[in-house]
């Protein structure tokens, strides 16, 4: 089972594609690290926000989650370099993903932050100097930054760090309902270039990232997602108030329902409850048609045959085209 733990809705960014910063949690509203003792055993846990490093007790949170999860990755804007690197020193097994939305001018405009790119890059370099290998950065692709996507991919490749992608979208989590993609064909063309680069890579992980990006192109064309969604079964989101949600992509115009609050019940009581069953039924009939890494990755792991067949077919076709 996988999980995302949202430790705060406070954020020092003012992102164009996310309004979470307009609805910050108060510190007294945020769960105490001890609540995480209730979590089940996890194969993977993503610590996210808001900006996780605004929590003064982030080290306690990481220490607690590390006992529960086989792999832990923190998503951050990378602004608090010294604090991030210090945590990496104390927790050498933790992974880090820095949000970088484009080259310097585009990144800083979209994130509403002066020198945000510089801080993010400085953080990545600090982690690499420590010898940390589970390091990377990711871009949320929109009409305003898709032209920087390939340059960021090559930057990640030259630095030997991971590169992640997402499409701009709306959700209750972001308090955002007016994100749109005006030119899906132009964005799809850039994704096709990225997919080609990833299929030419010698790293097997890149081939399956190409499949994930193929899913984003599929979404841009308005087609159904490539693999069934099992949000609320293969994983869950825990918010700062202790509420357990199946995913972070829900919108009220489709549906919005939590599975229960971890402050009030044990995880097993929530997971096996009638309320959780009701949520899973809604997931099975969800019309949102998301394709985000939090639900796509478990689906790919659960159904490896279809992604593998796609990888083999497309690598073969590209090899024929090259010849």
């Amino acid at each position: 089972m996988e999980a995302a733990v949202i430790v705060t809705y406070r954020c020092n960014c003012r992102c164009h594609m996310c309004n979470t910063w307009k609805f910050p949690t108060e510190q007294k509203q945020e769960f105490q690290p001890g609540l995480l003792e209730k979590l089940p055993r996890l194969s993977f846990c993503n610590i996210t926000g808001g900006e996780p490093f605004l929590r003064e007790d982030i080290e306690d949170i990481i220490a607690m989650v590390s006992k529960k999860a086989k792999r832990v990755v923190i998503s951050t804007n990378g602004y608090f370099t010294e604090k991030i690197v210090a945590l990496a020193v104390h927790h050498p097994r933790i992974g880090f993903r820095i949000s970088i939305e484009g080259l310097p001018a585009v990144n800083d405009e979209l994130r509403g932050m002066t020198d945000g790119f510089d801080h993010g890059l400085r953080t990545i370099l600090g982690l690499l100097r420590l010898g940390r290998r589970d390091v990377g950065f990711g871009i949320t692709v929109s009409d305003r930054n898709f032209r920087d996507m390939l340059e960021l991919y090559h930057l990640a490749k030259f630095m030997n760090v991971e590169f992640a992608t997402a499409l701009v979208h709306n959700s209750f989590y972001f308090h955002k309902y007016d994100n749109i993609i005006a030119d899906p064909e132009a964005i799809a063309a850039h994704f096709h270039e990225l997919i080609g680069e990833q299929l030419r890579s010698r790293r097997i992980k890149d081939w399956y990232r190409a499949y994930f990006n193929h899913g984003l192109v599929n979404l841009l064309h308005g087609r159904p997602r490539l693999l069934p969604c099992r949000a609320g079964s293969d994983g869950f989101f825990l918010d700062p108030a202790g509420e357990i949600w199946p995913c972070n992509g829900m919108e009220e115009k489709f549906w919005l329902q939590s599975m229960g609050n971890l402050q009030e019940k044990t995880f097993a009581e929530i997971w096996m409850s009638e309320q959780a069953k009701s949520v899973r039924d809604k997931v099975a009939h969800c019309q949102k048609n998301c394709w985000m890494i939090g639900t796509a990755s478990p689906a790919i792991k659960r159904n490896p045959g279809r992604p593998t067949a796609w990888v083999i077919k497309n690598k073969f076709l590209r090899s024929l085209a090259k010849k």
Side-chain angles (χ1 to χ4, degrees):
M1 187 185 299
E2 300 188 0
V5 176
I6 307 161
V7 298
T8 183
Y9 286 137
R10 290 177 283 143
C11 192
N12 58 319
C13 282
R14 301 292 183 266
C15 291
H16 172 75
M17 62 286 187
C18 171
N19 283 338
T20 299
W21 57 273
K22 294 182 179 181
F23 301 89
T25 42
E26 296 180 20
Q27 286 180 268
K28 62 183 180 182
Q29 297 173 317
E30 298 166 356
F31 64 74
Q32 294 298 307
L35 181 72
L36 302 175
E37 194 69 65
K38 289 186 171 184
L39 292 179
R41 298 298 303 173
L42 301 167
S43 58
F44 172 75
C45 184
N46 176 225
I47 304 296
T48 185
E51 172 48 49
F53 284 91
L54 287 175
R55 289 275 308 234
E56 294 300 324
D57 54 359
I58 188 64
E59 288 221 30
D60 296 332
I61 289 172
I62 295 302
M64 191 67 70
V65 172
S66 296
K67 297 176 184 177
K68 297 289 183 175
K70 186 175 180 181
R71 178 171 173 245
V72 179
V73 171
I74 307 175
S75 296
T76 169
N77 58 40
Y79 192 83
F80 302 103
T81 301
E82 291 183 6
K83 193 172 183 180
I84 295 168
V85 171
L87 187 139
V89 170
H90 298 144
H91 298 275
R93 292 177 54 246
I94 302 301
F96 296 86
R97 294 295 179 272
I98 315 301
S99 297
I100 294 181
E101 304 303 339
L103 298 176
V106 171
N107 177 81
D108 292 0
E109 178 199 351
L110 285 179
R111 290 208 153 258
M113 174 188 287
T114 303
D115 297 331
F117 183 92
D118 295 3
H119 281 271
L121 185 60
R122 195 181 304 276
T123 295
I124 293 169
L125 293 172
L127 293 169
L128 292 178
R129 278 197 296 271
L130 288 178
R132 300 296 175 261
R133 295 186 177 181
D134 195 354
V135 177
F137 55 86
I139 177 176
T140 299
V141 180
S142 69
D143 290 297
R144 300 174 66 165
N145 66 353
F146 71 90
R147 292 176 182 83
D148 287 359
M149 180 168 60
L150 281 167
E151 283 79 1
L152 289 182
Y153 168 73
H154 286 294
L155 177 61
K157 188 176 177 182
F158 292 145
M159 296 177 71
N160 197 27
V161 300
E162 305 295 338
F163 181 68
T165 51
L167 269 180
V168 67
H169 57 280
N170 299 309
S171 81
F172 83 102
Y173 169 56
F174 297 122
H175 296 277
K176 192 73 172 173
Y177 303 101
D178 60 353
N179 281 324
I180 61 169
I181 293 176
D183 194 351
E185 292 301 326
I187 296 177
H190 278 70
F191 267 113
H192 279 303
E193 287 191 59
L194 175 61
I195 289 167
E197 295 278 358
Q198 290 172 323
L199 286 173
R200 283 191 287 272
S201 169
R202 295 182 179 181
R203 299 176 69 231
I204 294 175
K205 193 171 184 178
D206 284 344
W207 306 346
Y208 288 90
R209 284 209 174 107
Y211 179 80
F212 173 77
N213 287 322
H214 165 59
L216 293 179
V217 172
N218 189 67
L219 183 62
L220 282 165
H221 291 314
R223 299 168 187 149
R225 53 181 286 148
L226 299 177
L227 297 169
C229 179
R230 283 175 48 88
S233 297
D234 290 342
F236 62 91
F237 280 69
L238 175 69
D239 78 10
E243 207 73 30
I244 291 181
W245 304 89
C247 73
N248 70 338
M250 292 178 288
E251 293 182 62
E252 287 188 48
K253 71 176 184 179
F254 294 103
W255 64 283
L256 182 63
Q257 182 181 350
S258 80
M259 304 173 83
N261 195 295
L262 201 59
Q263 306 267 23
E264 301 166 359
K265 298 178 181 179
T266 67
F267 183 83
E269 287 172 336
I270 294 171
W271 202 245
M272 303 303 294
S273 67
E274 289 300 317
Q275 187 172 335
K277 291 178 184 177
S278 171
V279 166
R280 293 185 188 108
D281 182 64
K282 287 183 171 66
V283 169
H285 299 91
C286 183
Q287 298 300 306
K288 181 74 186 287
N289 196 36
C290 298
W291 185 255
M292 294 183 288
I293 198 64
T295 55
S297 177
I300 291 169
K301 293 171 186 173
R302 179 177 284 275
N303 304 279
R306 286 173 63 181
T308 300
W310 180 90
V311 166
I312 293 170
K313 174 185 174 182
N314 282 275
K315 283 186 70 66
F316 176 70
L317 290 175
R318 287 174 185 276
S319 111
L320 283 181
K322 186 177 179 181
K323 291 177 183 178

PDB file of all heavy atoms in Angstrom, residues 151-174:
ATOM      1  N   GLU A 151      14.071  20.925 -21.997  1.00  0.00           N
ATOM      2  CA  GLU A 151      15.304  21.463 -21.412  1.00  0.00           C
ATOM      3  C   GLU A 151      15.477  20.984 -19.976  1.00  0.00           C
ATOM      4  O   GLU A 151      16.586  20.634 -19.552  1.00  0.00           O
ATOM      5  CB  GLU A 151      15.298  23.001 -21.461  1.00  0.00           C
ATOM      6  CG  GLU A 151      15.613  23.592 -22.820  1.00  0.00           C
ATOM      7  CD  GLU A 151      14.440  23.570 -23.772  1.00  0.00           C
ATOM      8  OE1 GLU A 151      13.345  23.106 -23.369  1.00  0.00           O
ATOM      9  OE2 GLU A 151      14.605  24.013 -24.927  1.00  0.00           O
ATOM     10  N   LEU A 152      14.387  20.950 -19.221  1.00  0.00           N
ATOM     11  CA  LEU A 152      14.472  20.463 -17.844  1.00  0.00           C
ATOM     12  C   LEU A 152      14.809  18.971 -17.816  1.00  0.00           C
ATOM     13  O   LEU A 152      15.567  18.512 -16.954  1.00  0.00           O
ATOM     14  CB  LEU A 152      13.163  20.720 -17.102  1.00  0.00           C
ATOM     15  CG  LEU A 152      12.852  22.172 -16.746  1.00  0.00           C
ATOM     16  CD1 LEU A 152      11.544  22.247 -15.963  1.00  0.00           C
ATOM     17  CD2 LEU A 152      13.982  22.797 -15.933  1.00  0.00           C
ATOM     18  N   TYR A 153      14.239  18.214 -18.743  1.00  0.00           N
ATOM     19  CA  TYR A 153      14.557  16.786 -18.817  1.00  0.00           C
ATOM     20  C   TYR A 153      16.056  16.582 -19.058  1.00  0.00           C
ATOM     21  O   TYR A 153      16.702  15.765 -18.399  1.00  0.00           O
ATOM     22  CB  TYR A 153      13.760  16.111 -19.929  1.00  0.00           C
ATOM     23  CG  TYR A 153      14.250  14.721 -20.251  1.00  0.00           C
ATOM     24  CD1 TYR A 153      14.022  13.657 -19.383  1.00  0.00           C
ATOM     25  CD2 TYR A 153      14.990  14.471 -21.412  1.00  0.00           C
ATOM     26  CE1 TYR A 153      14.499  12.380 -19.663  1.00  0.00           C
ATOM     27  CE2 TYR A 153      15.460  13.198 -21.702  1.00  0.00           C
ATOM     28  CZ  TYR A 153      15.214  12.156 -20.825  1.00  0.00           C
ATOM     29  OH  TYR A 153      15.694  10.894 -21.102  1.00  0.00           O
ATOM     30  N   HIS A 154      16.621  17.347 -19.994  1.00  0.00           N
ATOM     31  CA  HIS A 154      18.052  17.200 -20.282  1.00  0.00           C
ATOM     32  C   HIS A 154      18.905  17.691 -19.116  1.00  0.00           C
ATOM     33  O   HIS A 154      19.954  17.105 -18.823  1.00  0.00           O
ATOM     34  CB  HIS A 154      18.407  17.938 -21.569  1.00  0.00           C
ATOM     35  CG  HIS A 154      17.943  17.235 -22.800  1.00  0.00           C
ATOM     36  ND1 HIS A 154      18.447  16.019 -23.204  1.00  0.00           N
ATOM     37  CD2 HIS A 154      16.981  17.564 -23.706  1.00  0.00           C
ATOM     38  CE1 HIS A 154      17.848  15.630 -24.312  1.00  0.00           C
ATOM     39  NE2 HIS A 154      16.951  16.541 -24.636  1.00  0.00           N
ATOM     40  N   LEU A 155      18.445  18.722 -18.428  1.00  0.00           N
ATOM     41  CA  LEU A 155      19.158  19.170 -17.235  1.00  0.00           C
ATOM     42  C   LEU A 155      19.190  18.051 -16.196  1.00  0.00           C
ATOM     43  O   LEU A 155      20.242  17.764 -15.597  1.00  0.00           O
ATOM     44  CB  LEU A 155      18.486  20.418 -16.652  1.00  0.00           C
ATOM     45  CG  LEU A 155      19.078  20.960 -15.345  1.00  0.00           C
ATOM     46  CD1 LEU A 155      20.536  21.374 -15.533  1.00  0.00           C
ATOM     47  CD2 LEU A 155      18.245  22.144 -14.832  1.00  0.00           C
ATOM     48  N   ALA A 156      18.041  17.403 -15.968  1.00  0.00           N
ATOM     49  CA  ALA A 156      17.982  16.287 -15.020  1.00  0.00           C
ATOM     50  C   ALA A 156      18.893  15.145 -15.460  1.00  0.00           C
ATOM     51  O   ALA A 156      19.591  14.527 -14.642  1.00  0.00           O
ATOM     52  CB  ALA A 156      16.538  15.791 -14.886  1.00  0.00           C
ATOM     53  N   LYS A 157      18.908  14.887 -16.764  1.00  0.00           N
ATOM     54  CA  LYS A 157      19.741  13.803 -17.290  1.00  0.00           C
ATOM     55  C   LYS A 157      21.217  14.100 -17.085  1.00  0.00           C
ATOM     56  O   LYS A 157      21.994  13.235 -16.656  1.00  0.00           O
ATOM     57  CB  LYS A 157      19.428  13.626 -18.782  1.00  0.00           C
ATOM     58  CG  LYS A 157      20.079  12.423 -19.425  1.00  0.00           C
ATOM     59  CD  LYS A 157      19.618  12.288 -20.866  1.00  0.00           C
ATOM     60  CE  LYS A 157      20.310  11.118 -21.550  1.00  0.00           C
ATOM     61  NZ  LYS A 157      19.881  11.015 -22.979  1.00  0.00           N
ATOM     62  N   PHE A 158      21.638  15.331 -17.355  1.00  0.00           N
ATOM     63  CA  PHE A 158      23.039  15.714 -17.179  1.00  0.00           C
ATOM     64  C   PHE A 158      23.447  15.659 -15.704  1.00  0.00           C
ATOM     65  O   PHE A 158      24.587  15.344 -15.376  1.00  0.00           O
ATOM     66  CB  PHE A 158      23.282  17.108 -17.732  1.00  0.00           C
ATOM     67  CG  PHE A 158      23.152  17.195 -19.225  1.00  0.00           C
ATOM     68  CD1 PHE A 158      22.628  18.340 -19.825  1.00  0.00           C
ATOM     69  CD2 PHE A 158      23.523  16.144 -20.045  1.00  0.00           C
ATOM     70  CE1 PHE A 158      22.489  18.418 -21.204  1.00  0.00           C
ATOM     71  CE2 PHE A 158      23.389  16.205 -21.423  1.00  0.00           C
ATOM     72  CZ  PHE A 158      22.864  17.350 -22.002  1.00  0.00           C
ATOM     73  N   MET A 159      22.496  15.992 -14.800  1.00  0.00           N
ATOM     74  CA  MET A 159      22.787  15.978 -13.371  1.00  0.00           C
ATOM     75  C   MET A 159      22.624  14.581 -12.770  1.00  0.00           C
ATOM     76  O   MET A 159      22.924  14.367 -11.599  1.00  0.00           O
ATOM     77  CB  MET A 159      21.865  16.963 -12.641  1.00  0.00           C
ATOM     78  CG  MET A 159      22.072  18.421 -13.038  1.00  0.00           C
ATOM     79  SD  MET A 159      20.907  19.523 -12.204  1.00  0.00           S
ATOM     80  CE  MET A 159      21.560  19.457 -10.519  1.00  0.00           C
ATOM     81  N   ASN A 160      22.105  13.647 -13.582  1.00  0.00           N
ATOM     82  CA  ASN A 160      21.860  12.274 -13.133  1.00  0.00           C
ATOM     83  C   ASN A 160      20.867  12.234 -11.963  1.00  0.00           C
ATOM     84  O   ASN A 160      21.078  11.555 -10.969  1.00  0.00           O
ATOM     85  CB  ASN A 160      23.166  11.582 -12.750  1.00  0.00           C
ATOM     86  CG  ASN A 160      22.999  10.068 -12.674  1.00  0.00           C
ATOM     87  OD1 ASN A 160      22.143   9.492 -13.351  1.00  0.00           O
ATOM     88  ND2 ASN A 160      23.799   9.429 -11.835  1.00  0.00           N
ATOM     89  N   VAL A 161      19.768  13.002 -12.119  1.00  0.00           N
ATOM     90  CA  VAL A 161      18.689  12.984 -11.130  1.00  0.00           C
ATOM     91  C   VAL A 161      17.392  12.614 -11.839  1.00  0.00           C
ATOM     92  O   VAL A 161      17.306  12.621 -13.074  1.00  0.00           O
ATOM     93  CB  VAL A 161      18.541  14.342 -10.406  1.00  0.00           C
ATOM     94  CG1 VAL A 161      19.822  14.694  -9.669  1.00  0.00           C
ATOM     95  CG2 VAL A 161      18.162  15.458 -11.379  1.00  0.00           C
ATOM     96  N   GLU A 162      16.376  12.290 -11.062  1.00  0.00           N
ATOM     97  CA  GLU A 162      15.098  11.859 -11.618  1.00  0.00           C
ATOM     98  C   GLU A 162      14.315  13.059 -12.166  1.00  0.00           C
ATOM     99  O   GLU A 162      14.490  14.193 -11.723  1.00  0.00           O
ATOM    100  CB  GLU A 162      14.265  11.149 -10.541  1.00  0.00           C
ATOM    101  CG  GLU A 162      14.977   9.987  -9.870  1.00  0.00           C
ATOM    102  CD  GLU A 162      15.258   8.838 -10.819  1.00  0.00           C
ATOM    103  OE1 GLU A 162      14.567   8.722 -11.858  1.00  0.00           O
ATOM    104  OE2 GLU A 162      16.183   8.041 -10.552  1.00  0.00           O
ATOM    105  N   PHE A 163      13.433  12.778 -13.135  1.00  0.00           N
ATOM    106  CA  PHE A 163      12.607  13.830 -13.726  1.00  0.00           C
ATOM    107  C   PHE A 163      11.163  13.350 -13.774  1.00  0.00           C
ATOM    108  O   PHE A 163      10.866  12.303 -14.352  1.00  0.00           O
ATOM    109  CB  PHE A 163      13.096  14.168 -15.134  1.00  0.00           C
ATOM    110  CG  PHE A 163      12.302  15.257 -15.806  1.00  0.00           C
ATOM    111  CD1 PHE A 163      12.365  16.562 -15.338  1.00  0.00           C
ATOM    112  CD2 PHE A 163      11.488  14.973 -16.898  1.00  0.00           C
ATOM    113  CE1 PHE A 163      11.638  17.579 -15.960  1.00  0.00           C
ATOM    114  CE2 PHE A 163      10.766  15.973 -17.519  1.00  0.00           C
ATOM    115  CZ  PHE A 163      10.838  17.281 -17.047  1.00  0.00           C
ATOM    116  N   ALA A 164      10.273  14.110 -13.151  1.00  0.00           N
ATOM    117  CA  ALA A 164       8.863  13.729 -13.068  1.00  0.00           C
ATOM    118  C   ALA A 164       7.993  14.775 -13.758  1.00  0.00           C
ATOM    119  O   ALA A 164       8.355  15.956 -13.834  1.00  0.00           O
ATOM    120  CB  ALA A 164       8.442  13.588 -11.611  1.00  0.00           C
ATOM    121  N   THR A 165       6.837  14.332 -14.235  1.00  0.00           N
ATOM    122  CA  THR A 165       5.916  15.221 -14.935  1.00  0.00           C
ATOM    123  C   THR A 165       4.504  15.058 -14.391  1.00  0.00           C
ATOM    124  O   THR A 165       4.137  14.014 -13.857  1.00  0.00           O
ATOM    125  CB  THR A 165       5.887  14.907 -16.446  1.00  0.00           C
ATOM    126  OG1 THR A 165       5.666  13.504 -16.616  1.00  0.00           O
ATOM    127  CG2 THR A 165       7.177  15.315 -17.124  1.00  0.00           C
ATOM    128  N   ALA A 166       3.717  16.106 -14.556  1.00  0.00           N
ATOM    129  CA  ALA A 166       2.286  16.082 -14.265  1.00  0.00           C
ATOM    130  C   ALA A 166       1.632  17.108 -15.182  1.00  0.00           C
ATOM    131  O   ALA A 166       2.306  17.998 -15.713  1.00  0.00           O
ATOM    132  CB  ALA A 166       2.016  16.425 -12.801  1.00  0.00           C
ATOM    133  N   LEU A 167       0.330  16.971 -15.375  1.00  0.00           N
ATOM    134  CA  LEU A 167      -0.426  17.966 -16.121  1.00  0.00           C
ATOM    135  C   LEU A 167      -1.175  18.861 -15.151  1.00  0.00           C
ATOM    136  O   LEU A 167      -1.698  18.379 -14.136  1.00  0.00           O
ATOM    137  CB  LEU A 167      -1.442  17.294 -17.049  1.00  0.00           C
ATOM    138  CG  LEU A 167      -1.007  16.966 -18.474  1.00  0.00           C
ATOM    139  CD1 LEU A 167      -2.174  16.311 -19.211  1.00  0.00           C
ATOM    140  CD2 LEU A 167      -0.530  18.196 -19.220  1.00  0.00           C
ATOM    141  N   VAL A 168      -1.247  20.146 -15.459  1.00  0.00           N
ATOM    142  CA  VAL A 168      -2.017  21.054 -14.622  1.00  0.00           C
ATOM    143  C   VAL A 168      -3.464  20.559 -14.554  1.00  0.00           C
ATOM    144  O   VAL A 168      -4.018  20.064 -15.547  1.00  0.00           O
ATOM    145  CB  VAL A 168      -1.932  22.496 -15.180  1.00  0.00           C
ATOM    146  CG1 VAL A 168      -2.630  22.613 -16.535  1.00  0.00           C
ATOM    147  CG2 VAL A 168      -2.488  23.485 -14.204  1.00  0.00           C
ATOM    148  N   HIS A 169      -4.056  20.629 -13.381  1.00  0.00           N
ATOM    149  CA  HIS A 169      -5.418  20.105 -13.202  1.00  0.00           C
ATOM    150  C   HIS A 169      -6.091  20.833 -12.043  1.00  0.00           C
ATOM    151  O   HIS A 169      -5.467  21.622 -11.331  1.00  0.00           O
ATOM    152  CB  HIS A 169      -5.388  18.598 -12.947  1.00  0.00           C
ATOM    153  CG  HIS A 169      -4.548  18.213 -11.769  1.00  0.00           C
ATOM    154  ND1 HIS A 169      -3.175  18.118 -11.831  1.00  0.00           N
ATOM    155  CD2 HIS A 169      -4.880  17.918 -10.480  1.00  0.00           C
ATOM    156  CE1 HIS A 169      -2.697  17.771 -10.647  1.00  0.00           C
ATOM    157  NE2 HIS A 169      -3.708  17.661  -9.812  1.00  0.00           N
ATOM    158  N   ASN A 170      -7.345  20.532 -11.844  1.00  0.00           N
ATOM    159  CA  ASN A 170      -8.127  21.132 -10.764  1.00  0.00           C
ATOM    160  C   ASN A 170      -8.424  20.090  -9.699  1.00  0.00           C
ATOM    161  O   ASN A 170      -8.547  18.907  -9.991  1.00  0.00           O
ATOM    162  CB  ASN A 170      -9.450  21.683 -11.314  1.00  0.00           C
ATOM    163  CG  ASN A 170      -9.240  22.764 -12.344  1.00  0.00           C
ATOM    164  OD1 ASN A 170      -8.511  23.717 -12.110  1.00  0.00           O
ATOM    165  ND2 ASN A 170      -9.855  22.611 -13.516  1.00  0.00           N
ATOM    166  N   SER A 171      -8.551  20.534  -8.450  1.00  0.00           N
ATOM    167  CA  SER A 171      -8.945  19.623  -7.381  1.00  0.00           C
ATOM    168  C   SER A 171      -9.262  20.411  -6.113  1.00  0.00           C
ATOM    169  O   SER A 171      -8.842  21.567  -5.966  1.00  0.00           O
ATOM    170  CB  SER A 171      -7.843  18.598  -7.088  1.00  0.00           C
ATOM    171  OG  SER A 171      -6.843  19.145  -6.250  1.00  0.00           O
ATOM    172  N   PHE A 172      -9.979  19.760  -5.209  1.00  0.00           N
ATOM    173  CA  PHE A 172     -10.269  20.371  -3.913  1.00  0.00           C
ATOM    174  C   PHE A 172      -8.979  20.634  -3.144  1.00  0.00           C
ATOM    175  O   PHE A 172      -8.878  21.585  -2.368  1.00  0.00           O
ATOM    176  CB  PHE A 172     -11.192  19.454  -3.096  1.00  0.00           C
ATOM    177  CG  PHE A 172     -10.480  18.348  -2.362  1.00  0.00           C
ATOM    178  CD1 PHE A 172     -10.229  18.449  -0.996  1.00  0.00           C
ATOM    179  CD2 PHE A 172     -10.037  17.212  -3.032  1.00  0.00           C
ATOM    180  CE1 PHE A 172      -9.558  17.444  -0.315  1.00  0.00           C
ATOM    181  CE2 PHE A 172      -9.369  16.200  -2.352  1.00  0.00           C
ATOM    182  CZ  PHE A 172      -9.132  16.316  -0.989  1.00  0.00           C
ATOM    183  N   TYR A 173      -8.004  19.787  -3.340  1.00  0.00           N
ATOM    184  CA  TYR A 173      -6.732  19.866  -2.643  1.00  0.00           C
ATOM    185  C   TYR A 173      -6.014  21.177  -2.960  1.00  0.00           C
ATOM    186  O   TYR A 173      -5.417  21.814  -2.096  1.00  0.00           O
ATOM    187  CB  TYR A 173      -5.906  18.646  -3.055  1.00  0.00           C
ATOM    188  CG  TYR A 173      -4.448  18.620  -2.669  1.00  0.00           C
ATOM    189  CD1 TYR A 173      -4.051  18.756  -1.345  1.00  0.00           C
ATOM    190  CD2 TYR A 173      -3.469  18.387  -3.630  1.00  0.00           C
ATOM    191  CE1 TYR A 173      -2.702  18.688  -0.996  1.00  0.00           C
ATOM    192  CE2 TYR A 173      -2.130  18.308  -3.291  1.00  0.00           C
ATOM    193  CZ  TYR A 173      -1.755  18.470  -1.968  1.00  0.00           C
ATOM    194  OH  TYR A 173      -0.424  18.396  -1.639  1.00  0.00           O
ATOM    195  N   PHE A 174      -6.089  21.593  -4.227  1.00  0.00           N
ATOM    196  CA  PHE A 174      -5.431  22.823  -4.654  1.00  0.00           C
ATOM    197  C   PHE A 174      -6.326  24.051  -4.528  1.00  0.00           C
ATOM    198  O   PHE A 174      -5.889  25.165  -4.790  1.00  0.00           O
ATOM    199  CB  PHE A 174      -4.968  22.711  -6.107  1.00  0.00           C
ATOM    200  CG  PHE A 174      -3.933  21.649  -6.335  1.00  0.00           C
ATOM    201  CD1 PHE A 174      -4.151  20.623  -7.244  1.00  0.00           C
ATOM    202  CD2 PHE A 174      -2.739  21.668  -5.649  1.00  0.00           C
ATOM    203  CE1 PHE A 174      -3.202  19.638  -7.462  1.00  0.00           C
ATOM    204  CE2 PHE A 174      -1.772  20.695  -5.859  1.00  0.00           C
ATOM    205  CZ  PHE A 174      -2.004  19.673  -6.763  1.00  0.00           C
TER     206      PHE A 174
END
